[in-house]
Amino acid sequence: MEADEYPQVQEQLDKLVLPALRPVDIGALYQQALATPTPRPWRPRRVCLAVSAVSACLLLGVMIGRCDIALSQDGFSLTWRKPVPPQDPLEARLAQLEQQFAERSSEEKLEELKGLLLTLAGDVNQRDHEQKQALARLTDAVNAFEVATKVQFRETEQTQKTLYNALFSNRNLKGVNP
Amino acid sequence: MPKEPEANLIQRWQRGERAAFEELVRAWEGPLGRFLQRMVGSTETAQDLLQELFLRVYLNAGKFRDQGEFKPWLYRIALNLARDHARKQARQMATRIDFAAEVASKSPSSDDELSLLEESEQVRQALSELPEQLREVVVLRHYEDLSFEAMARLLEVPATTLKSRFQVAMKRLEQQLVEMRIRDGS
């Protein structure tokens, strides 16, 4: 045994004198047991009440957030605010730009309008130039087609003439009945 | 009349028979009281804790299982009470009552008896100066004669750790007791 390594200590430990204790007072113990509150079992009713309370608080919070309270000379008024419809992102951007524009000074607005006009003019010029180019291309194509048609016409005329000559230049040949 | 087996007493107690509970109290109040005295170092505190211990046992009758061992269950409750008390005492810095002074006040004192009481007081002091973890091991091993395996189950600490703690505790006690003897000139 490990304690054998310390026989003197063991011997000393045995010298510890303990005063006798009084016997346990069982009567007092029963009294204490009666006075001790027993832990209450889990009750679904309590949980339901707690859940209901939390839900009611949440609902109240939402309602307060949606109500407009106003105090005027006529008296106290409480109005229900309509929910804000979700905005289209493009419309939202436009509204934002409009707001930004409204916030600027007249000088800035004029500058911006000038810029906008120049942009529009540039855009018109660009489009005009493109249309002119397209028209020129079309004219060139029509002219080329006309030339080609003329050439074709001349060639056809030439062919016809050649054929005619070929047929009618041999009319005097004997034994030939055209 | 032969003594009724403890298992029967426990069954009767769990069925609500007060007589069985009282028999169990009488059977265990001595060892548990001494254990608490050694752990807390004060008779009055041990007396209060002993009462509290059996109150807990009474209130937790339904929690003790048949297959469980009764002695370790009782000692676990006692140990928890002693630990709770040590924690409270560390906060409140309560004063302790000397066993020697108590015993001396109740019994006639000859020189030999006084000498024994002095030695007892030295042991009590040395024990109380040990850290709680080491004191637990010494009390359970030396005074309650529990094996290291049984202590491991009770304290939920590996037996090897408890063996090392016991070695350390014995070494410290030896040093302290030597220092005390030199200091007291005995």
Side-chain angles (χ1 to χ4, degrees):
Chain A
M1 195 178 88
E2 290 80 356
D4 289 340
E5 293 173 32
Y6 301 91
Q8 285 182 334
V9 181
Q10 282 207 80
E11 199 183 317
Q12 283 288 110
L13 285 172
D14 288 335
K15 287 179 181 170
L16 181 65
V17 182
L18 296 172
L21 290 177
R22 292 187 306 276
V24 172
D25 186 349
I26 295 182
L29 194 144
Y30 291 143
Q31 292 289 328
Q32 285 174 313
L34 280 174
T36 308
T38 48
R40 290 182 181 180
W42 183 80
R43 287 181 183 174
R45 194 166 147 261
R46 281 166 177 269
V47 176
C48 289
L49 274 174
V51 170
S52 306
V54 171
S55 310
C57 286
L58 283 172
L59 191 66
L60 192 69
V62 170
M63 281 179 74
I64 287 171
R66 293 279 298 278
C67 278
D68 280 333
I69 303 163
L71 192 65
S72 63
Q73 285 181 339
D74 301 333
F76 173 78
S77 71
L78 184 69
T79 49
W80 183 253
R81 201 187 308 141
K82 283 184 180 173
V84 182
Q87 266 195 333
D88 184 37
L90 204 64
E91 279 182 22
R93 176 74 185 137
L94 192 66
Q96 193 189 356
L97 285 171
E98 275 175 2
Q99 197 186 347
Q100 280 178 359
F101 188 70
E103 283 167 3
R104 289 178 187 175
S105 66
S106 309
E107 201 70 25
E108 282 177 330
K109 283 180 187 174
L110 201 62
E111 281 297 315
E112 194 158 337
L113 278 173
K114 269 185 192 172
L116 195 63
L117 276 172
L118 284 171
T119 312
L120 280 171
D123 192 39
V124 168
N125 281 340
Q126 176 74 19
R127 286 183 187 200
D128 186 45
H129 181 67
E130 282 172 5
Q131 279 179 348
K132 277 180 182 170
Q133 278 184 336
L135 275 172
R137 280 199 298 274
L138 191 62
T139 311
D140 289 347
V142 169
N143 289 338
F145 185 67
E146 196 181 356
V147 169
T149 309
K150 278 178 185 173
V151 169
Q152 207 169 7
F153 183 75
R154 270 199 301 274
E155 282 174 358
T156 310
E157 203 177 36
Q158 191 71 36
T159 311
Q160 204 175 1
K161 205 181 273 178
T162 312
L163 278 169
Y164 187 82
N165 288 334
L167 281 171
F168 295 106
S169 59
N170 293 332
R171 191 178 284 178
N172 296 331
L173 291 175
K174 287 177 182 176
V176 176
N177 190 10
Chain B
M1 190 176 146
K3 211 178 167 186
E4 189 178 351
E6 194 175 73
N8 288 0
L9 279 175
I10 291 167
Q11 278 183 354
R12 282 173 50 209
W13 157 56
Q14 286 190 309
R15 282 200 300 266
E17 277 187 47
R18 285 189 171 185
F21 176 68
E22 285 172 27
E23 271 193 62
L24 285 170
V25 171
R26 296 298 168 229
W28 284 101
E29 65 184 352
L32 288 167
R34 284 190 289 277
F35 171 73
L36 285 169
Q37 274 178 300
R38 285 169 187 135
M39 285 301 294
V40 299
S42 155
T43 306
E44 280 305 307
T45 311
Q47 188 78 59
D48 294 343
L49 293 182
L50 190 65
Q51 188 79 15
E52 173 68 22
L53 189 156
F54 283 108
L55 177 65
R56 285 194 190 184
V57 170
Y58 182 75
L59 292 173
N60 292 297
K63 287 185 184 170
F64 176 71
R65 302 276 174 266
D66 285 340
Q67 61 268 30
E69 286 182 63
F70 193 56
K71 185 182 172 184
W73 189 64
L74 289 176
Y75 273 85
R76 194 168 294 123
I77 298 174
L79 199 64
N80 288 339
L81 282 168
R83 283 174 175 175
D84 289 348
H85 170 75
R87 254 175 254 133
K88 276 183 206 163
Q89 204 182 34
R91 280 199 295 270
Q92 296 169 356
M93 296 293 287
T95 50
R96 288 180 176 179
I97 299 164
D98 288 357
F99 292 154
E102 272 184 80
V103 176
S105 67
K106 289 172 187 170
S107 56
S109 54
S110 63
D111 286 349
D112 288 346
E113 280 174 337
L114 276 175
S115 165
L116 282 172
L117 288 175
E118 269 175 25
E119 280 179 321
S120 169
E121 176 54 20
Q122 281 178 350
V123 174
R124 185 207 66 78
Q125 205 179 329
L127 268 177
S128 68
E129 280 173 17
L130 279 182
E132 197 187 341
Q133 285 183 336
L134 299 184
R135 190 164 62 244
E136 281 173 7
V137 179
V138 173
V139 172
L140 289 169
R141 179 77 190 111
H142 182 78
Y143 293 109
E144 303 303 325
D145 202 26
L146 288 185
S147 68
F148 284 108
E149 285 69 30
M151 280 160 62
R153 283 194 296 277
L154 180 69
L155 300 171
E156 293 172 345
V157 174
T160 47
T161 310
L162 294 174
K163 279 179 192 171
S164 330
R165 280 185 194 171
F166 184 74
Q167 293 285 332
V168 174
M170 294 304 267
K171 226 173 253 178
R172 279 206 197 181
L173 280 174
E174 192 175 36
Q175 283 170 359
Q176 280 173 351
L177 290 168
V178 167
E179 280 170 20
M180 280 176 194
R181 269 199 294 274
I182 293 166
R183 206 164 49 218
D184 296 348
S186 55

